[in-house]
């Protein structure tokens, strides 16, 4: 083909274009005939076209598409037409429709691409990016370990899964809610319905019909403690309500007061160096003995019939010891010289014998269980005789006092102790006020309780009077007891030993009696 020769015909150009296919490389964009085909090359984005590389097809910049690529050429590429520009051969594919902002076509995994639009006046207006909705955090909990129980409020899981909460605090709060949902109903159930234990709750009191007649009290029908329980059970009844509680606490508190009083005496009195201080120590010791044994007897006597007898026998031993201690203190500190001259040889031996007789009569009355006047006589007559001898020095001193209105506080305490003892004896013997109100004094208001109260007041007043006489009447009692100040120690030990032996022998008789009863 020569220079200046006419180009190929239109039929030849049409066949070449058909061979290249539509959109092929090197095609004439204007459709001019004779345009030569150019070889295929990578497309470079240009500002004129506004195209972005990558993807499956070409889309205009700013659209909702992300990438494009040229379609592959079909057939052999046509040689480029002489004089045709290379870039003019690029042909932009048709623009694809934009994807919807919402709906199934919206890709939530890619960030929002700002879309620019033009207003009515032709100026650019930027639309702020729409904040996408964040799905709540979901946890793959097994069915048995759900983070909330059915009893929990259904609003709580939605609150815990708000989008503004981070992941790990939300999981921690969910676990805490799970624990609380299981714990709170358990605590509520335990508060409303206590869990049954292996052992039933102990019954601290029973009616009169559920205990043997040995434990019955006149006009008292309830408040008795059951028999054959553990020792721990009866010690626990110290803090329970029953018909012996007041009897226990009155003498128990008085015993503690006596210990404090003894501590005060130990700071002011020389018990070891002063031979005239020994009767004061004996009276304090005797008072503490009878108060503590009485409290122990009333607390533990409901263990069984044998222990009922045994503990009250010990109670009577304490009463005998206190009787001799009172007689010794009155004889040593409160006696007047005239009365001392008449009874000095027989007073202490007789007091020891009457104390033992009082213990024996009380033990025998408890052992025989004889109703009526005979049983009361065996207990009360020896005690009345012992008290009459023991208080005689005080009564003589009150009667022969030259000036009853003189400033003698010890004498006033002696008068008080006499009055308190007489009141105690009256309540002990008459069974009042429960006799007047039968069935109404089960816990409080029994005559024996009032007997305990007045006997404690008598003991405290007696100790104060003896302490004052020990300090103020030393010039009187030192000459009277200068010859044999220690003979009373042997009598005191003899009284204690004989009373304990008597109680032990009677307890053995009780054991044999109960054994015959059970056979």
């Amino acid at each position: 083909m020569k220079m200046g020769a006419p180009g190929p015909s239109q039929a030849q150009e049409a066949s070449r274009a058909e061979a290249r296919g539509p959109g092929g490389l090197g095609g004439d964009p204007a459709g001019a005939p004779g345009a030569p085909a150019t070889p295929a090359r990578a497309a470079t984005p240009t500002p004129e076209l506004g195209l972005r590389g990558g993807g499956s097809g070409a889309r205009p910049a700013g659209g909702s598409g992300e990438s494009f690529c040229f379609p592959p050429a079909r057939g052999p590429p046509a040689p480029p037409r002489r004089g045709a520009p290379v870039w003019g051969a690029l042909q932009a594919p048709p623009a694809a429709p934009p994807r919807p902002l919402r709906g199934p076509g919206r890709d939530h995994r890619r960030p929002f691409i700002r879309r620019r639009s033009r207003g009515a006046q032709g100026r650019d207006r930027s639309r702020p990016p729409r904040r996408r909705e964040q799905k709540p955090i979901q946890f793959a909990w097994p069915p048995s370990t759900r983070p909330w129980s059915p009893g929990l409020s259904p609003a709580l899981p939605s609150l815990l899964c708000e989008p503004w909460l981070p992941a790990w605090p939300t999981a921690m709060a969910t676990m805490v809610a799970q624990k609380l949902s299981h714990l709170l109903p358990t605590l509520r159930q335990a508060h409303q319905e206590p869990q049954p234990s292996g052992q039933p709750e102990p019954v601290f009191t029973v009616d009169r019909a559920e205990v043997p007649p040995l434990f019955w009290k006149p006009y008292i029908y309830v408040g008795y403690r059951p028999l054959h329980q553990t020792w721990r059970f009866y010690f626990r009844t110290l803090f329970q309500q029953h018909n012996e509680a007041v009897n226990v606490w009155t003498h128990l508190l008085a015993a503690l007061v006596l210990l404090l009083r003894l501590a005060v005496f130990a700071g002011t009195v020389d018990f070891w160096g002063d031979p005239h201080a020994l009767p004061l120590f004996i009276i304090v010791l005797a008072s503490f003995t009878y108060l503590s044994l009485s409290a122990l007897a009333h607390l533990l006597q409901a263990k069984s019939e044998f222990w009922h007898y045994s503990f009250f026998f010990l109670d009577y031993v304490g009463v005998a010891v206190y009787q001799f201690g009172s007689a010794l203190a009155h004889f040593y500190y409160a006696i007047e010289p005239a009365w001392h001259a008449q009874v000095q040889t027989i007073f202490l031996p007789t007091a020891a014998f009457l104390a033992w007789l009082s213990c024996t009569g009380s033990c025998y009355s408890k052992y025989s269980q004889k109703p009526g006047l005979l049983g009361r006589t065996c207990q009360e007559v020896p005690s009345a005789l012992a008290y009459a001898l023991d208080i005689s020095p005080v009564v003589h001193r009150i009667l022969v006092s030259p000036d009853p209105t003189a400033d003698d506080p010890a004498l006033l305490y002696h008068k008080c102790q006499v009055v308190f003892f007489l009141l105690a004896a009256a309540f002990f013997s008459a069974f009042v006020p429960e006799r007047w109100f039968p069935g109404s004094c089960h816990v409080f208001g029994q005559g024996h309780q009032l007997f305990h109260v007045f006997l404690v007041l008598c003991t405290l007043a007696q100790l104060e009077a003896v302490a004052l006489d020990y300090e103020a009447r030393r010039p009187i009692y030192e000459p009277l007891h200068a010859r044999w100040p220690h003979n009373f120690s042997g009598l005191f030990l003899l009284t204690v030993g004989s009373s304990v032996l008597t109680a032990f022998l009677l307890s053995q008789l009780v054991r044999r009696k109960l054994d015959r009863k059970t056979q």
Side-chain angles (χ1 to χ4, degrees), residues 157-411:
S158 62
L159 292 178
L160 295 178
C161 296
E162 286 296 325
W164 47 268
L165 290 177
W168 66 267
T170 305
M172 182 64 68
T174 306
M175 294 300 297
V176 171
Q178 176 192 7
K179 296 299 182 183
L180 291 179
S181 64
H182 290 293
L183 180 61
L184 293 178
T186 304
L187 294 178
R188 190 182 301 111
Q189 182 180 3
H191 177 71
Q192 296 176 356
E193 300 179 0
Q195 298 293 334
S197 58
Q199 297 180 354
E201 287 293 329
V203 178
F204 289 101
T205 57
V206 296
D207 295 338
R208 182 177 180 176
E210 300 183 30
V211 297
L214 175 65
F215 299 87
W216 291 0
K217 295 183 177 183
Y219 313 104
I220 304 299
Y221 306 129
V222 297
Y224 297 91
R225 289 169 294 174
L227 278 66
H228 308 296
Q229 304 295 323
T230 61
W231 291 110
R232 182 174 177 269
F233 170 84
Y234 295 104
F235 279 107
R236 287 177 60 189
T237 59
L238 180 64
F239 305 99
Q240 304 293 331
Q241 281 191 358
H242 49 88
N243 54 26
E244 293 283 4
V246 178
N247 294 329
V248 174
W249 279 104
T250 49
H251 280 184
L252 182 60
L253 294 177
L256 297 178
V257 171
L258 285 185
L259 289 180
L260 297 177
R261 195 69 180 93
L262 181 61
V264 173
F265 284 151
T268 58
V269 179
D270 187 10
F271 289 113
W272 302 106
D274 186 6
H276 299 285
L278 188 56
L280 179 61
F281 178 77
I282 289 178
I283 183 59
V284 175
L285 179 62
S287 301
F288 177 79
T289 300
Y290 99 85
L291 289 173
S292 58
L293 290 180
S294 175
L296 193 66
H298 286 283
L299 180 64
L300 303 178
Q301 54 87 22
K303 172 69 174 175
S304 63
E305 295 186 10
F306 172 76
W307 289 111
H308 177 86
Y309 284 108
S310 300
F311 278 115
F312 275 114
F313 289 166
L314 287 178
D315 185 16
Y316 302 146
V317 171
V319 172
V321 172
Y322 173 66
Q323 288 176 350
F324 182 81
S326 300
L328 176 61
H330 295 162
F331 176 77
Y332 207 92
Y333 300 119
I335 196 169
E336 292 291 333
W339 185 251
H340 179 271
Q342 298 180 11
V343 298
Q344 63 176 341
T345 57
I346 63 171
F347 187 86
L348 290 180
T350 306
F353 172 76
L354 291 178
W356 170 81
L357 185 61
S358 173
C359 176
T360 304
S362 299
C363 292
Y364 179 76
S365 175
K366 172 63 72 175
Y367 168 75
S368 62
Q369 289 292 312
K370 293 183 178 180
L373 184 60
L374 182 60
R376 306 283 296 185
T377 301
C378 295
Q379 182 178 11
E380 296 178 2
V381 170
S383 300
L385 293 176
Y387 181 74
L389 179 64
D390 300 343
I391 202 65
S392 60
V394 174
V395 174
H396 179 266
R397 179 180 171 183
I398 294 174
L399 295 177
V400 301
S401 178
D403 188 3
T405 60
D407 188 12
D408 189 0
L411 192 61

Side-chain angles (χ1 to χ4, degrees), residues 218-219 247 376 380 419-437 445-455 457:
Y219 313 104
N247 294 329
R376 306 283 296 185
E380 296 178 2
V419 173
F420 289 146
F421 182 84
L422 294 178
L423 289 174
F427 282 107
F428 178 80
S429 303
F431 296 109
V432 291
E434 64 265 27
R435 182 191 297 271
W436 302 334
F437 308 99
Q446 302 175 20
H448 198 84
Q449 297 171 357
L450 298 177
F451 160 72
H452 275 211
V453 172
F454 284 113
L455 193 59
L457 295 177

Side-chain angles (χ1 to χ4, degrees), residues 106-124:
R106 173 65 176 169
D107 190 358
H108 293 276
R109 295 174 297 177
R110 302 298 301 271
F112 186 83
I113 302 177
R114 180 181 296 182
R115 186 177 184 183
R116 303 174 63 87
S117 62
R118 292 187 175 275
Q121 290 80 11
R123 57 185 179 87
D124 294 340

Side-chain angles (χ1 to χ4, degrees), residues 15-25 27 72-76 91:
S15 62
R16 293 177 182 176
E18 184 178 359
R20 290 195 301 268
L25 294 177
R74 297 182 180 179
Q91 183 178 2

